[in-house]
Amino acid sequence: MRGLMMDVPLTLASLLERARRYFPQVEVVSRRPDGTISRAKYGAICRRVHRLADALQQAGLARGDRVATLMWSHAAHLEAYFAIPLSGGIVHPLNPRLHPSEIAYIARHAGDRFLLVDDVLWPLYERFSNQVSLERVWVHSLGGAPVPAGIERYESLLSSGAEDFVFSPLDENDAAGMFFTSGTTGRPKGVVYSHRSQVLHSMALCMADTLAISHSDAVLLVAPMYHVNGWGFPYSCVMAGAKLVLPGAGCGPEDLLDLIEGEGVTIACAVPTVWFGALEALRKNPGGWKFRGPVRLLVGGAAPPASLIRELDRFGLRILHAWGMTETSPLATMGRLKVHMQPWNDERKYEVRSKQGFAAPLIDLRLMRPEGEVPWDGATPGELEVRGPWVASSYYNAPEAATRWTDDGWFRTGDVATIDPEGYVKLVDRTKDLIKSGGEWISSVDLENALMEHPAVREAAVIAVPHPKWQERPLAVVVLREGASADPEQFRVFLADRFAEWQIPDGFVFAKEIPRTSVGKFLKSALREQYRDWSPPAPDMRKKR
Amino acid sequence: MRGLMMDVPLTLASLLERARRYFPQVEVVSRRPDGTISRAKYGAICRRVHRLADALQQAGLARGDRVATLMWSHAAHLEAYFAIPLSGGIVHPLNPRLHPSEIAYIARHAGDRFLLVDDVLWPLYERFSNQVSLERVWVHSLGGAPVPAGIERYESLLSSGAEDFVFSPLDENDAAGMFFTSGTTGRPKGVVYSHRSQVLHSMALCMADTLAISHSDAVLLVAPMYHVNGWGFPYSCVMAGAKLVLPGAGCGPEDLLDLIEGEGVTIACAVPTVWFGALEALRKNPGGWKFRGPVRLLVGGAAPPASLIRELDRFGLRILHAWGMTETSPLATMGRLKVHMQPWNDERKYEVRSKQGFAAPLIDLRLMRPEGEVPWDGATPGELEVRGPWVASSYYNAPEAATRWTDDGWFRTGDVATIDPEGYVKLVDRTKDLIKSGGEWISSVDLENALMEHPAVREAAVIAVPHPKWQERPLAVVVLREGASADPEQFRVFLADRFAEWQIPDGFVFAKEIPRTSVGKFLKSALREQYRDWSPPAPDMRKKR
């Protein structure tokens, strides 16, 4: 027997309608590249979304067409996030941090038909425009940057649409958005979200034990809207009616702290690097910012060391550690303490909070090795596999990547992790970054986090370098704090407290900075390339297993 | 184009699996009819659910079969809530407060095949057993009450099932549960929930702006599990991993306060009547209970007057006012203050909190009159209509009730309400309880809530009595507080502050109690019957519009 419940599809229309009905006065704050602020309200934005959806259909947009954006984070980008899928299209944010030829590859692979581009990104567009075949391009005035005469304008497009435009009915499994993973190996791959997955993921982000986004929150989306589905925030904030604060390009740590203070921010999200910067700014100017109350910092993309969590706590910035990826929309796990852990001492609690946490509702996890499933003992690492209604089932037009999914329908994340008996995931490494030394696995991430707790270290990356006897050995690339000095022996001693001798890097080299991907993660492939021929300065006499 | 996301059905299996994986040590506390407490943990309960599902299939349960329960609220009932739908059946809780012949009618109409019954309810079952044709009946030992020899036992049933039983795959639109509405007119009607609707509704209850159920909560489900889908709590608490406290029959106001104190309850739900009782107990014994922190009281089923909200606030019991019905799973609206209301004075805030609030995510509301949609002006009443993925699309085998749904797919709630420009619903009346005096509508609920703020009044119900000139006029039936006295003229003066003269009841009669439905609501049909021939004791000389 079937349930006798209404067949109401889960589509983005209901999120927008809720903001229009109940939160028309709530603001979306956009910081322009020059640091000035513009403000719009959900009521006005919703009306503009209706106009944009109408205008796109009039411009010839057909069901399933991809419309690319090349935009920073701001209210107009939010309009595109809704209007494109609600007109039957698929919103496809392009990452302006990539090389122009890579952007062109992605736009071609996606089959993008139209483009919305910020005026300040027009010069970038011109660098790849001859490599793509976009039918129409509309320019959004963000920074007042000059664009060639005759180019169509975003505001003109909008003015051709009607505010009372009625969205066509959609199937909840229709595609709504497309995002490419900025993989460090192989060609970028496209993930295609459905209306259903976006709605379920938005609900998940609003649940009390994940991020608990509420209409009483002001949410600072530091993670850019072209990255990993905007972390799901554009949709979940509209669903909740939360104030949204969107910093564009060129927003430094002090600027972020200014926004948190000035806009009464209660939630912010970013990769750890951003919070390292904020912490430095706070240390330099301890009384410089006053926050209204504790701020939840959602951190993902890389593991924050316990020291970062501890130090930010002192400033009222409470890190919530989550894990996910483009393929998981992204929320998959959240590092909340359980009730019975609340009375534990700080040390143990920080240890838990530096793990990636346990699965969000409706998300299943397992750890796999070639020989089968790995027990949740907190010790045995395996590759993390994930399954759930907001997890990708394949990439767009990439049959060569089908091996990323198991025969029984799980996604192979490429992350190596342990899971403890309480269910907390601890990422050990990316499968490709793991250091395989004499048959044993050494986690580059564990070493990095330990090194970053050393007072002289600002950042550290640990990579595998080839070794004639052990196959691979770890090498640490260290960036010192301003004015600090240290020598490798100090680090060896520092690490010896926590690591077996065979796990300690063979060398510590100093660098001015760690190369990064377009979204701020360590670009270890570049380091591996750079240090491919590195060998220890002196004969290596230490005993290794 | 379709989204490329996993086709993972939304079923109750994922809720149970999450509790097993992450919250095996969290307790379900059951209070037996004699006041003693039993404790079980989610880990053990999940294993028993697997065994029960297996055992039911072995007993011959086929897809879509209805399995009735006749049980108070306790851990075994929770097992049935999961095991029956996860074995492919439909759990159908019967309401033991109804007349035996009505229970029999409901079981026959539902086509119930099996029954699980508490030993203490066996005598009730015997009163209607010859009117139903149940294939098998299992008795659950709750109170140690004697049952005839040879009756099958719930624990024996369980022991025939295997802990490692694997649930069969289910379609998310498969029926999961059936609940009959205890309507005061016509025959009871069956609502059939799907796995999908139950999962979405559970997520909704955990969202920050609805009830925010979290694994750090201890939830007291005062509303019985046979009533309105257990308010959705059994499923949402398991999804969140929240501690669940289940009081059975015979739990008075003091017992509830004991449970809140003793079990560290943070959320409780019940109809207002229950909280009137608790407030009286707190008043009599102000220092009698110490709560760990503020307790959220979800109140629904009838509107709590502002005075109740205000007085309970003083004891740390914070009423959250919600609206819903069996047909809406039940959560439809929640009376949270918006951010910009926080600085308002208490008077205005209590006014907002005594409204039913605005729609939960994915729920659409509108107000209708015969002539069309009513504006959200906070003044014009209309019948409230609702639409959403956890709203019923029809009743089970009741074609005569098809008029409860509009041609464009909305459910006619039978509630008359206004909606203000902020989107807050205020229930004015049931369509059938509204008093239609000389072409104008008078809200019985407004008058009742005003009267209940009078210090001498414990409870008041206002009904329509026939009137030769005005068609209908209001009559108030008043229950005085213990030891209080008052005369009708006092009430007239008291109400004149807030109501037009034509809205004030023609009479005030005193009663020892207001008759109630099986779930504690005023049974106004009985009062209307009783006072059908009532006429004012003296000639009615007042001017009416």
Side-chain angles (χ1 to χ4, degrees):
Chain A
M1 195 197 291
R2 311 286 273 182
L4 298 174
M5 304 307 282
M6 287 184 184
D7 181 20
V8 174
L10 308 177
T11 75
L12 296 171
S14 68
L15 279 57
L16 189 77
E17 173 67 7
R18 188 164 190 266
R20 186 184 73 77
R21 280 286 198 185
Y22 302 111
F23 304 103
Q25 302 300 320
V26 173
E27 282 183 340
V28 174
V29 178
S30 311
R31 184 182 182 277
R32 298 194 192 88
D34 65 358
T36 58
I37 295 283
S38 74
R39 293 172 191 279
K41 291 178 176 176
Y42 279 136
I45 288 173
C46 292
R47 289 190 291 275
R48 287 167 58 90
V49 168
H50 282 257
R51 285 166 51 186
L52 179 55
D54 184 15
L56 286 168
Q57 285 196 352
Q58 288 184 42
L61 180 131
R63 284 301 261 278
D65 281 353
R66 273 73 74 204
V67 180
T69 61
L70 191 64
M71 290 176 143
W72 301 116
S73 300
H74 47 61
H77 207 170
L78 185 68
E79 290 161 8
Y81 254 66
F82 277 91
I84 295 167
L86 289 175
S87 63
I90 302 171
V91 59
H92 175 212
L94 294 166
N95 181 346
R97 301 284 189 200
L98 299 178
H99 189 276
S101 66
E102 194 167 16
I103 301 176
Y105 166 81
I106 289 172
R108 280 198 315 271
H109 187 84
D112 292 332
R113 197 174 157 206
F114 298 149
L115 174 71
L116 305 177
V117 55
D118 281 338
D119 53 8
V120 296
L121 289 169
W122 181 264
L124 172 62
Y125 166 64
E126 283 192 323
R127 291 180 62 194
F128 68 83
S129 60
N130 62 347
Q131 302 169 52
V132 292
S133 49
L134 294 161
E135 281 177 46
R136 292 178 76 173
V137 177
W138 291 277
V139 178
H140 167 250
S141 297
L142 176 63
V147 288
I151 304 296
E152 293 188 284
R153 294 301 190 145
Y154 180 75
E155 289 300 328
S156 312
L157 174 66
L158 248 85
S159 65
S160 70
E163 235 172 71
D164 58 357
F165 174 72
V166 177
F167 304 129
S168 318
L170 292 164
D171 184 296
E172 68 182 34
N173 291 306
D174 282 348
M178 189 184 265
F179 282 76
F180 278 68
T181 56
S182 49
T184 42
T185 53
R187 284 294 208 174
K189 307 274 188 303
V191 171
V192 185
Y193 304 112
S194 64
H195 280 266
R196 171 182 164 107
S197 72
Q198 294 286 25
V199 170
L200 291 172
H201 184 259
S202 300
M203 291 180 85
L205 274 180
C206 295
M207 291 174 76
D209 287 332
T210 61
L211 201 56
I213 299 176
S214 153
H215 60 71
S216 57
D217 282 311
V219 180
L220 176 65
L221 181 57
V222 187
M225 288 176 73
Y226 53 76
H227 181 224
V228 194
N229 195 24
W231 291 29
F233 278 47
Y235 294 130
S236 50
C237 288
V238 169
M239 177 182 251
K243 177 177 171 177
L244 196 46
V245 183
L246 301 168
C251 194
E254 288 84 1
D255 302 319
L256 289 178
L257 294 168
D258 287 349
L259 282 174
I260 293 175
E261 180 185 66
E263 300 296 335
V265 166
T266 55
I267 299 179
C269 71
V271 292
T273 325
V274 169
W275 305 122
F276 278 115
L279 181 59
E280 283 220 357
L282 287 165
R283 276 202 193 113
K284 276 187 201 154
N285 186 3
W289 293 272
K290 289 210 189 330
F291 308 134
R292 284 193 205 168
V295 182
R296 287 113 83 196
L297 300 185
L298 184 71
V299 171
S307 59
L308 181 68
I309 303 177
R310 189 185 292 115
E311 294 191 55
L312 284 173
D313 269 355
R314 292 201 191 111
F315 293 98
L317 301 174
R318 290 194 54 86
I319 281 188
L320 279 171
H321 188 186
W323 170 79
M325 46 206 307
T326 305
E327 292 86 340
T328 64
S329 292
L331 180 72
T333 71
M334 178 68 77
R336 295 230 179 226
L337 292 174
K338 296 186 186 176
V339 176
H340 68 272
M341 298 172 178
Q342 296 293 352
W344 288 5
N345 67 37
D346 279 359
E347 207 57 38
R348 283 183 78 190
K349 287 203 275 192
Y350 283 118
E351 195 189 316
V352 175
R353 287 179 59 197
S354 66
K355 295 184 181 183
Q356 279 71 24
F358 53 89
L362 308 188
I363 292 291
D364 291 330
L365 301 175
R366 70 180 183 188
L367 285 183
M368 296 300 285
R369 285 208 180 209
E371 59 271 25
E373 202 168 340
V374 172
W376 290 19
D377 59 9
T380 318
E383 183 174 1
L384 190 60
E385 296 187 354
V386 61
R387 189 175 62 178
W390 53 85
V391 178
S393 60
S394 67
Y395 295 120
Y396 178 67
N397 275 357
E400 75 282 8
T403 52
R404 292 295 298 277
W405 284 267
T406 67
D407 290 340
D408 59 346
W410 293 68
F411 174 65
R412 294 190 171 105
T413 64
D415 277 323
V416 178
T418 60
I419 304 183
D420 68 24
E422 292 276 10
Y424 286 75
V425 171
K426 184 173 187 301
L427 290 190
V428 171
D429 226 324
R430 290 292 294 168
T431 45
K432 65 183 180 337
D433 291 335
L434 203 65
I435 298 137
K436 286 155 193 153
S437 169
E440 292 288 333
W441 289 5
I442 301 174
S443 161
S444 65
V445 174
D446 281 354
L447 288 166
E448 287 160 5
N449 282 346
L451 277 170
M452 285 193 269
E453 293 191 17
H454 188 286
V457 175
R458 181 181 164 157
E459 281 178 354
V462 175
I463 55 167
V465 287
H467 191 280
K469 181 170 176 189
W470 306 109
Q471 287 84 45
E472 292 182 352
R473 287 295 303 153
L475 171 71
V477 184
V478 174
V479 181
L480 293 176
R481 275 190 206 285
E482 233 180 277
S485 66
D487 76 84
E489 194 49 33
Q490 274 183 275
F491 295 135
R492 262 183 213 109
V493 172
F494 184 72
L495 293 177
D497 274 356
R498 287 189 243 182
F499 293 88
E501 201 170 286
W502 61 272
Q503 293 173 317
I504 293 175
D506 281 5
F508 298 82
V509 297
F510 296 100
K512 282 209 169 153
E513 58 174 12
I514 309 284
R516 290 181 184 282
T517 69
S518 65
V519 294
K521 293 189 200 183
F522 290 164
L523 187 62
K524 291 199 186 173
S525 57
L527 288 177
R528 280 195 296 267
E529 186 59 30
Q530 188 181 344
Y531 293 101
R532 196 174 44 186
D533 302 321
W534 180 88
S535 58
D540 181 9
M541 303 296 289
R542 275 165 295 121
K543 185 167 166 279
K544 291 177 198 83
R545 189 158 75 166
Chain B
M1 194 197 292
R2 310 285 272 181
L4 298 173
M5 304 306 282
M6 288 185 183
D7 182 20
V8 174
L10 308 178
T11 76
L12 295 171
S14 68
L15 279 56
L16 189 77
E17 173 66 7
R18 188 164 190 267
R20 187 185 73 78
R21 280 285 199 185
Y22 303 111
F23 304 103
Q25 302 300 321
V26 173
E27 283 183 340
V28 175
V29 178
S30 310
R31 185 182 183 277
R32 297 195 193 89
D34 66 357
T36 58
I37 295 283
S38 75
R39 292 172 191 279
K41 291 177 176 178
Y42 279 136
I45 287 174
C46 292
R47 288 190 293 275
R48 288 167 57 89
V49 168
H50 282 256
R51 284 166 51 186
L52 179 55
D54 185 14
L56 285 168
Q57 285 196 354
Q58 287 183 45
L61 180 131
R63 283 301 262 281
D65 280 352
R66 272 74 73 204
V67 180
T69 60
L70 190 63
M71 290 176 144
W72 299 117
S73 300
H74 47 61
H77 207 170
L78 185 67
E79 291 161 8
Y81 253 68
F82 278 91
I84 294 167
L86 289 176
S87 62
I90 302 171
V91 59
H92 174 212
L94 294 166
N95 181 346
R97 301 283 188 200
L98 298 178
H99 189 275
S101 65
E102 193 167 17
I103 302 176
Y105 166 81
I106 289 172
R108 280 199 314 271
H109 187 84
D112 293 332
R113 199 175 155 204
F114 299 150
L115 173 71
L116 305 177
V117 56
D118 281 338
D119 53 7
V120 296
L121 290 168
W122 181 263
L124 172 62
Y125 166 64
E126 283 192 322
R127 291 180 63 193
F128 67 84
S129 61
N130 62 347
Q131 301 170 52
V132 293
S133 49
L134 294 161
E135 282 177 47
R136 291 179 76 173
V137 177
W138 291 277
V139 177
H140 168 251
S141 297
L142 176 63
V147 287
I151 303 297
E152 294 190 282
R153 294 300 190 148
Y154 179 75
E155 289 301 326
S156 311
L157 175 67
L158 247 85
S159 65
S160 69
E163 234 172 74
D164 57 356
F165 174 72
V166 178
F167 303 129
S168 316
L170 292 164
D171 184 295
E172 68 182 32
N173 290 307
D174 282 348
M178 190 184 264
F179 282 75
F180 279 68
T181 56
S182 50
T184 43
T185 54
R187 285 293 208 175
K189 308 274 187 305
V191 172
V192 185
Y193 304 113
S194 64
H195 280 265
R196 171 182 163 107
S197 73
Q198 295 286 26
V199 170
L200 292 173
H201 184 259
S202 300
M203 292 180 84
L205 274 180
C206 295
M207 292 174 76
D209 287 331
T210 60
L211 202 55
I213 299 176
S214 154
H215 60 71
S216 57
D217 281 311
V219 180
L220 175 66
L221 180 57
V222 186
M225 287 175 74
Y226 54 75
H227 181 225
V228 194
N229 195 26
W231 291 29
F233 278 47
Y235 294 130
S236 51
C237 288
V238 169
M239 176 181 252
K243 176 177 172 178
L244 195 48
V245 183
L246 301 169
C251 195
E254 288 83 1
D255 302 319
L256 289 178
L257 293 168
D258 287 349
L259 282 173
I260 294 176
E261 179 186 65
E263 300 296 336
V265 166
T266 55
I267 299 179
C269 71
V271 291
T273 325
V274 170
W275 305 121
F276 277 116
L279 181 58
E280 283 218 357
L282 287 164
R283 276 202 193 113
K284 277 188 200 152
N285 186 2
W289 293 272
K290 292 216 185 325
F291 308 134
R292 285 194 203 166
V295 182
R296 286 114 82 197
L297 300 186
L298 184 70
V299 171
S307 59
L308 182 69
I309 303 177
R310 189 185 292 114
E311 293 190 55
L312 284 172
D313 270 355
R314 294 204 188 107
F315 293 98
L317 301 175
R318 290 193 54 86
I319 282 189
L320 278 170
H321 189 186
W323 170 80
M325 47 206 308
T326 306
E327 292 87 339
T328 65
S329 290
L331 180 73
T333 71
M334 179 67 79
R336 294 231 179 225
L337 291 173
K338 295 186 185 176
V339 175
H340 68 271
M341 299 172 177
Q342 296 294 352
W344 288 5
N345 67 39
D346 280 358
E347 206 58 38
R348 283 183 77 190
K349 287 202 274 193
Y350 282 118
E351 194 188 318
V352 174
R353 286 178 60 197
S354 66
K355 295 183 181 183
Q356 278 72 22
F358 52 89
L362 307 189
I363 292 291
D364 291 330
L365 301 175
R366 69 180 184 188
L367 285 183
M368 296 298 286
R369 284 207 180 211
E371 60 271 24
E373 202 167 340
V374 172
W376 290 18
D377 58 9
T380 318
E383 183 174 0
L384 190 59
E385 295 188 353
V386 61
R387 189 175 61 178
W390 53 84
V391 178
S393 59
S394 66
Y395 294 120
Y396 178 67
N397 275 357
E400 75 283 8
T403 52
R404 292 294 298 277
W405 284 267
T406 66
D407 290 340
D408 59 346
W410 294 67
F411 174 65
R412 294 190 170 107
T413 64
D415 278 323
V416 178
T418 59
I419 303 183
D420 67 24
E422 292 276 8
Y424 287 74
V425 171
K426 184 172 187 302
L427 291 190
V428 170
D429 226 322
R430 291 292 295 168
T431 44
K432 65 183 178 339
D433 292 335
L434 203 65
I435 298 136
K436 286 155 191 153
S437 169
E440 292 289 332
W441 289 3
I442 301 174
S443 160
S444 65
V445 174
D446 281 355
L447 287 166
E448 287 159 4
N449 282 344
L451 276 170
M452 286 192 268
E453 293 191 16
H454 189 285
V457 175
R458 183 182 164 157
E459 283 179 352
V462 175
I463 55 166
V465 287
H467 191 281
K469 180 169 178 193
W470 307 109
Q471 286 84 46
E472 292 181 351
R473 288 295 302 154
L475 170 71
V477 183
V478 175
V479 180
L480 293 177
R481 273 188 208 287
E482 233 180 277
S485 67
D487 75 84
E489 193 49 35
Q490 274 183 276
F491 295 137
R492 259 182 216 110
V493 171
F494 184 73
L495 292 177
D497 273 357
R498 288 189 243 180
F499 293 88
E501 201 171 286
W502 61 272
Q503 294 172 317
I504 294 175
D506 281 5
F508 299 83
V509 296
F510 297 100
K512 281 210 169 150
E513 57 174 13
I514 309 283
R516 292 181 183 281
T517 69
S518 65
V519 295
K521 294 190 201 183
F522 290 163
L523 187 62
K524 292 198 185 174
S525 56
L527 288 177
R528 279 195 296 267
E529 186 59 29
Q530 187 181 345
Y531 294 100
R532 198 174 42 185
D533 301 321
W534 180 89
S535 59
D540 182 8
M541 304 297 290
R542 276 167 294 122
K543 185 167 167 286
K544 292 179 196 80
R545 187 158 77 165

